[in-house]
Amino acid sequence: MKIVTVVGARPQFIKAAVLSRLFRQTPGFEEILVHTGQHYDDNMSEVFFRELEIPAPKYHLGIGSGPHGQQTGRMLEAIEKTLLETKPNLLLIYGDTNSTVAGALAAAKLHIPIAHVEAGLRSFNRKMPEEINRIVADHLSTWLFAPTDAAAVNLRHEGRPEAAIHLVGDVMFDAAIHAGAQADMPLLRESNLMPKNYVLATIHRAENTDDPRRLRAILEAFANLSAKYPVVLPLHPRTRAVLAKNPEMESLAQKLRLLEPVGYLSMVALEKNARLVATDSGGVQKEAFFQKAPCVTLRDETEWVELVENGWNRLAPPTDAASITRILEAALAAPLPPDDPKLYGGGMAGRRIVEILKKAKSAT
């Protein structure tokens, strides 16, 4: 079975590492990796390929950043050309980025079956571009690999065929298990950080970075917290660009421990040793749970509802600094909730996906 895998952003590189490794180990699979270039600098892209031993992409489309319509349109054109050249049996996509939806649209128009890893997630907020991308990808896909019970239920509610829905768990958990023993500890020493005595933060979603009121509230809350704990903030390029244009926000950010974007193994080390993680990232919410760090999500909602229900995650809508600070302090003071080792598939999601695709290959 010839598979074209489309990736473009940090979380997708991590997920792709799991399945790419298994495809290389399983006879009968040929994977062609296509990198759209959505994340393109070394710290957001190439470092993940090196650390996670992902084969170099056969096709690097070099699309880069831009408005959603422009970026998605350019990806769609380039992916279509690649699919016409490679003639795969299957297109594999991950998550909810513009790379995901562009891959799904290109394959659907060429009548190439689609497998969507991380299908069925819903925030029920269609103002988020990621929510639109998820819905479109799910309704074009033949195989829907759901990471959670809630995701599978969402797909059923939207009328997707039962035969298409496969509850497999989360490949990010597989990746976390593989990476945990290799976590890059020198970064903690170089940054003068004591284990379980700092807060790790990440901010990158457009709903926060492009709204000055929300971003200012987040940074003020982090500055408030920094009087008690160091707040470590690896700066996403989008966030750095906003700060560079706003002296007031830049001044608040200077009260934090600012880092360049870090590789996956360094991020795992930071998560594993953090007293608390504060993020607006979908992937980092789960990574925090995998490394047994409590999390506060700086959004109005989350697609990972089971983490909130189990007490590992708290929502902090970034409306004002005082309310965010209260939620952060409450999370820091609370005891760790009970662990659920079966949540997200227990580290076997990748193997389940490969077995399902093997059966599909045998049936054709």
Side-chain angles (χ1 to χ4, degrees), residues 27-79:
F29 285 97
E30 175 193 356
E31 184 185 34
I32 298 169
L33 203 60
V34 177
H35 186 343
T36 64
Q38 183 170 338
H39 283 174
Y40 47 85
D41 66 18
D42 186 76
N43 284 339
M44 295 293 287
S45 175
E46 299 307 316
V47 66
F48 292 93
F49 285 81
R50 291 194 301 270
E51 288 186 347
L52 301 177
E53 300 176 347
I54 308 170
K58 185 170 182 179
Y59 294 87
H60 200 304
L61 306 182
I63 302 301
S65 57
H68 284 286
Q70 179 191 77
Q71 186 186 58
T72 306
R74 292 179 63 205
M75 288 176 180
L76 175 57
E77 179 182 14
I79 293 169

Side-chain angles (χ1 to χ4, degrees), residues 64-328:
S65 57
H68 284 286
Q70 179 191 77
Q71 186 186 58
T72 306
R74 292 179 63 205
M75 288 176 180
L76 175 57
E77 179 182 14
I79 293 169
E80 180 183 61
K81 182 179 178 182
T82 303
L83 294 176
L84 287 169
E85 182 177 326
T86 56
K87 297 181 172 60
N89 306 108
L90 169 71
L91 179 96
L92 183 65
I93 50 176
Y94 295 90
D96 56 17
T97 69
N98 287 343
S99 300
T100 305
V101 75
L105 287 167
K109 289 173 180 291
L110 294 173
H111 311 294
I112 297 169
I114 302 162
H116 186 197
V117 175
E118 207 175 77
L121 298 182
R122 296 292 182 269
S123 66
F124 302 102
N125 176 6
R126 292 203 178 191
K127 291 181 180 179
M128 291 174 58
E130 295 87 354
E131 184 80 348
I132 303 301
N133 293 344
R134 295 174 191 135
I135 293 169
V136 172
D138 283 342
H139 284 260
L140 293 175
S141 294
T142 302
W143 292 274
L144 297 161
F145 295 121
T148 65
D149 290 316
V153 169
N154 290 337
L155 293 166
R156 294 186 186 105
H157 285 169
E158 292 177 10
R160 303 301 294 131
E162 188 64 34
I165 302 169
H166 304 276
L167 178 59
V168 295
D170 194 331
V171 293
M172 289 287 277
F173 200 171
D174 302 28
I177 292 170
H178 184 76
Q182 307 175 58
D184 185 10
M185 293 299 293
L187 179 63
L188 269 71
R189 294 192 293 271
E190 293 165 6
S191 303
N192 197 28
L193 295 171
M194 297 294 293
K196 302 301 177 184
N197 197 45
Y198 63 89
V199 174
L200 173 64
T202 76
I203 300 297
H204 80 283
R205 284 190 183 266
E207 65 194 79
N208 288 330
T209 60
D210 296 356
D211 185 329
R213 180 182 57 86
R214 290 169 72 99
L215 184 57
R216 186 178 297 107
I218 291 168
L219 292 172
E220 285 181 11
F222 288 167
N224 293 340
L225 204 63
S226 68
K228 299 178 181 178
Y229 295 98
V231 178
V232 180
L233 178 62
L235 268 181
H236 188 282
R238 179 189 291 141
T239 313
R240 183 179 290 281
V242 173
L243 295 181
K245 297 176 183 177
N246 191 308
E248 179 191 355
M249 292 191 197
E250 178 72 29
S251 177
L252 287 169
Q254 290 305 318
K255 297 180 180 181
L256 316 178
R257 301 274 190 96
L258 303 180
L259 302 178
E260 292 296 319
V262 298
Y264 181 55
L265 298 181
S266 294
M267 191 64 177
V268 168
L270 287 171
E271 291 161 348
K272 192 173 185 177
N273 291 281
R275 185 179 178 95
L276 178 70
V277 174
T279 186
D280 62 4
S281 162
V284 172
Q285 292 173 51
K286 290 181 299 168
E287 290 172 16
F289 169 73
F290 299 153
Q291 303 306 329
K292 301 300 169 262
C295 183
V296 170
T297 295
L298 299 156
R299 284 166 47 188
D300 299 319
E301 69 287 304
T302 178
E303 53 276 30
W304 301 107
V305 292
E306 57 284 333
L307 291 178
V308 176
E309 291 167 355
N310 288 5
W312 283 94
N313 193 3
R314 298 168 187 237
L315 284 175
T319 54
D320 65 275
S323 65
I324 299 171
T325 303
R326 283 196 300 273
I327 295 170
L328 291 169

